[in-house]
Amino acid sequence: MRRFVSIAAILASIVVLSRLPALAAPGALDSTFGAGGVVTGTASGANDVALQSDGGVVVIATTAVARYLANGSLDLTFGTAGAVLPGGTAVAVEADDDILVARVVVSPLGASTFGGQRYDVHGNPGNAFGAGFGSLPAFVRFGLPLAISVQPDGSFIFAGGGGPDGALDSIDFALARFTPTDLLDLSFSGDGKVLTDLGAGASLISSLALQADGRIVAVGNGNVFSPGIPSVRMARYEVNGDLDTGFGVGGKVTLPTSARSSAVALQSDGKVIVGGRSLTPPESFLVARYDTDGALDPTFGAGGVVTTPIGLSSGVAAVAVQPGDRIVAVGTAETVSGSDFALAYYLPDGTLDSSFGGGGIVTTTIGVEAVASAVVLQPDGRIVAAGASDGSLAMARYDAPPFCGDGNLDPGETCDAGPANGTTSCCSTMCTIRPAGETCRVQATPCDAPESCGGFTSNCPADVVVPDGTACDDSSSCTIGDACAAGVCGGAPVVCPACQSCDPSVGCLTVPRTSCKQSTAPSRTNLRIRDRTPDRRDGFAWKWVRGEETIEADLGDPLTTDAYTLCIYDESGPTPMTTLATVVPPGGACRGKPCWLRGKRGLRYLDRDRTVAGIERIVMKLGDEGRAKVLIKGRGENLIVPPLPMSLPIRVQLHVGADRCWEATYSADQFQTNTPTEFKGKAD
C-alpha cells in the first residue's frame, strides 16, 4: 500500500503524501464512523495510517500523530488530548500495538537523514533511536523516509530516498533495517543500509511490501526531481539486502509507460499489485499486476495494466488486497470545483466490481479540496481512507462488498468464520463446511490432542489434552520417564554423576559450575595433595581464604538435605575432565555425635574416623568480602586423591546444592611441587 509522491511538498518541507486504508460494503460510507462515515481533524493532512488490534486507527500527519477509536472519535487518552507532536511521513504498528513513526531529521547544515520515534499504545515516547526525537544513524547526506514495514521477528525497515551528497540526481532507492532493539541490523547488507541506483535521475521508494519468505518489494519513481518523463520503478531484495536477480532484470523493474507509482501490495499467490497515476491524458487511476518474476501479468487488464478515469483527472495513492485477491485502490479525483476522495474496487482479473458504489467507483466530497493518501483494511473488510480536506486531516470509512472471509454469513455461504476459515475452524476458504476428519487444530505440544472436523458444523471441537500418564517426549535429555500431566509433558530429573551437570540437548556433561565465589587473596589459597606409600600417609588440604562475601543462605542445609561435593577438573585439554569427585553426604553421626554442626560463624564437618573418602574436616566460615573462608582436609588409607603428577591447569570447586560453589584455579606457572607423590601450589 502506498501513495503518490508530492514533489512540491518534498522540496518545501520534506513531507510526502501517503497511503490509505480500505474495507468494503457496496461502497457506502459507514455511518457508524465519525459523522456519517467521515472524520475531520485539526492536524495537517494524513500522510499514512495504521490499524491497532482493538480497531483503533493511528494517523500520522506532518504536524502530529493522532489515534482515533474504532467509531472515529479522537482517543483522548492518547498523548495529549489524542495526539503527540511532531508528526512525520510514515507510521506502522507492531505486534504489541506499539507505534513506529518515520520522520526526516534535518541538520543545521541542511543535510537530512532517516529519523524515527517509537511510542507505546498510550502515546508515550519510547527510548528508541536515541534521545528525544533522536534520528536514526546518519544514512547519507540526503535521507527521506517514506515507508515503514514491520517484519514478523520485530525487525523493521525504513525506506525512501538517499544519496551521498546534495545533488538531487544522485538520490537512489534507500532502505535501512533495524533490529527490534532499534539498532541497525548488520545482517542486512553488512551495515544495515542499502542504496540502489535505478538510473534516470533521482529515484524514491514510496511503498514497501513484505513477502512471506522475507523478501522485500519496493516501489517508487524515477526522474523525481530532474526534467524528463517520470517512470515507475520497482526492486526486490533478498532477506540479506541483496537485489533478487530472479526478479525483473537484476532485481529491478521499470513500467514501460508514462506513470507515477505510489503504492504496492501483494496478492495471495505472491503477485505484485502496483498503484499509481497514468500520465497519459486524461490522467487516471493506474493499477498494474506483476508475476512473481517481475513480468507484467497478461491475464490482468490489458497486458497487465488497468487504467480507470475518474473525474477530470485522478491518481491512486494507496492499494490494498482483500480476501479473494480483490483490489482496493484509493486516491484523488479532480473536479471542476476542487477534488474528492476516490475509490475503485477491482475483481482479481482487473475488471471493476459493479457491486461497489457506481460500477466499482466511489467518490466522496469532503470540503473543497479533498486528497486521499493512505488506506488500511479492517479485519471485517471495511475500508478506511485517510488524507486531507482543505489542508486538514480527513478520513472516511466505507463498507465493502460481502466476501467469504468477512465473518458474515452472506447469501451462498454455509458458514463464514472470517480469518479462521480453512485454518482453526471447520469452515473452508470457500465458506463451506469442511469434510469430517480434516484437522482444524494441530497438536501444539506433546500432550495436546489434535482436533478434527465432524463434517456437520463450522465449529472446531474444543481443545483437549491427552489423559494424564500418557507417555510423551519433552525433547530434553535431562528428564526420564516423561509423561503427560494436566497437558504438560515432563519427567523426573536425570541425576548426573558428581561434578557433572545436565545439558538438555545432550545429557550429563563434565562442566565446571560458573559464577563461583572467588578468593581475594589467591596467593594464600593453597592446595596440597600427598599420595604416599603406605596409603595411611596420603593427605589432602585445600585452604580457601579471604573470599567473596559468604552468607548463611549460601551454605545450604547439610544437616538434613544438602551434600557437599569436592571437584577437581583437569582443564589442560579441549574439554574439562574430572579427576576427583568426592561427595560428603548430609546428616550422619560421627562417633555418636552429628557430623555436621552449625554455629554463629558458619558450619563445621568433623569425622575423625574419615569414613567418607578419607575426608576428616570441612570448615565454612561466614564473612563479608575478604573475610570468608573454606577449609577441607583429609588423610589416611580411605582418602581418594587425583592421579599425580597433575596436568595443569586445574580447577578446584566445592559444590553445595544446585548452584552454589567456591573455586580456585592452579596454573602451570603457580605450582611449587608436582611429582608422582605430591602436589603443592598457590591459586592464580
Side-chain angles (χ1 to χ4, degrees), residues 418-429 434 439-442 453 460:
N421 283 350
T423 56
T424 57
S425 80
C426 290
C427 189
S428 73
T429 56
R434 295 168 66 184
T439 299
C440 56
R441 188 179 296 110
V442 299
C453 297
C460 188

Side-chain angles (χ1 to χ4, degrees), residues 466-486:
V466 301
D468 288 356
T470 302
C472 61
D473 182 0
D474 66 0
S475 300
S476 172
S477 297
C478 293
T479 57
I480 56 175
D482 296 346
C484 295

Side-chain angles (χ1 to χ4, degrees), residues 657-669:
D659 54 8
R660 297 178 295 278
C661 54
W662 294 255
E663 77 168 12
T665 56
Y666 299 83
S667 300
D669 58 352

Side-chain angles (χ1 to χ4, degrees), residues 89-162:
T89 55
V91 67
V93 171
E94 296 187 297
D96 60 359
D97 281 336
D98 278 2
I99 300 164
L100 287 172
V101 166
R103 57 173 62 103
V104 183
V105 175
V106 182
S107 74
L109 299 177
S112 63
T113 61
F114 280 25
Q117 179 68 55
R118 183 186 298 274
Y119 297 90
D120 68 15
V121 294
H122 305 294
N124 300 310
N127 59 358
F129 321 130
F133 300 124
S135 67
L136 306 177
F139 193 87
V140 276
R141 290 189 61 190
F142 178 89
L144 175 63
L146 301 177
I148 305 175
S149 181
V150 179
Q151 298 182 303
D153 65 355
S155 301
F156 56 92
I157 299 169
F158 279 26

Side-chain angles (χ1 to χ4, degrees), residues 562-589:
D562 291 320
Y564 272 48
T565 303
L566 175 65
C567 307
I568 297 182
Y569 299 97
D570 176 351
E571 297 185 332
S572 62
T575 58
M577 295 188 300
T578 305
T579 61
L580 180 68
T582 297
V583 180
V584 180

Side-chain angles (χ1 to χ4, degrees), residues 287-546:
V287 178
R289 185 165 74 191
Y290 293 84
D291 286 321
T292 55
D293 62 358
L296 281 166
D297 179 3
T299 68
F300 183 82
V305 178
V306 171
T307 56
T308 305
I310 306 175
L312 299 179
S313 64
S314 57
V316 174
V319 292
V321 176
Q322 286 196 324
D325 287 334
R326 291 177 298 174
I327 302 162
V328 180
V330 174
T332 303
E334 287 75 29
T335 65
V336 173
S337 57
S339 59
D340 295 335
F341 276 23
L343 285 75
Y345 198 87
Y346 300 92
L347 297 173
D349 63 358
T351 58
L352 287 166
D353 182 347
S354 60
S355 70
F356 184 85
I361 296 171
V362 167
T363 59
T364 303
T365 300
I366 308 174
V368 177
E369 297 284 348
V371 177
S373 54
V375 66
V376 67
L377 299 180
Q378 295 185 176
D380 60 4
R382 285 181 290 180
I383 304 161
V384 179
S389 170
D390 301 327
S392 297
L393 185 146
M395 289 191 293
R397 189 164 73 189
Y398 302 86
D399 289 326
F403 58 90
C404 177
D406 63 7
N408 300 314
L409 189 61
D410 302 313
E413 298 177 347
T414 56
C415 59
D416 194 332
N421 283 350
T423 56
T424 57
S425 80
C426 290
C427 189
S428 73
T429 56
M430 302 300 291
C431 286
T432 58
I433 301 297
R434 295 168 66 184
E438 283 196 4
T439 299
C440 56
R441 188 179 296 110
V442 299
Q443 183 180 20
T445 68
C447 294
D448 182 37
E451 281 76 42
S452 299
C453 297
F456 56 87
T457 177
S458 63
N459 296 324
C460 188
D463 195 7
V464 297
V465 298
V466 301
D468 288 356
T470 302
C472 61
D473 182 0
D474 66 0
S475 300
S476 172
S477 297
C478 293
T479 57
I480 56 175
D482 296 346
C484 295
V488 178
C489 182
V494 169
V495 178
C496 292
C499 303
Q500 293 189 10
S501 60
C502 194
D503 183 311
S505 61
V506 295
C508 294
L509 293 174
T510 299
V511 179
R513 290 187 180 180
T514 58
S515 302
C516 295
K517 296 183 183 297
Q518 307 286 329
S519 168
T520 62
S523 63
R524 298 186 61 182
T525 296
N526 301 322
L527 174 66
R528 184 174 182 180
I529 303 172
R530 297 193 311 271
D531 188 4
R532 304 286 177 81
T533 302
D535 287 343
R536 57 185 173 79
R537 298 176 59 194
D538 292 351
F540 179 95
W542 185 47
K543 186 178 181 182
W544 184 91
V545 298
R546 296 188 181 180

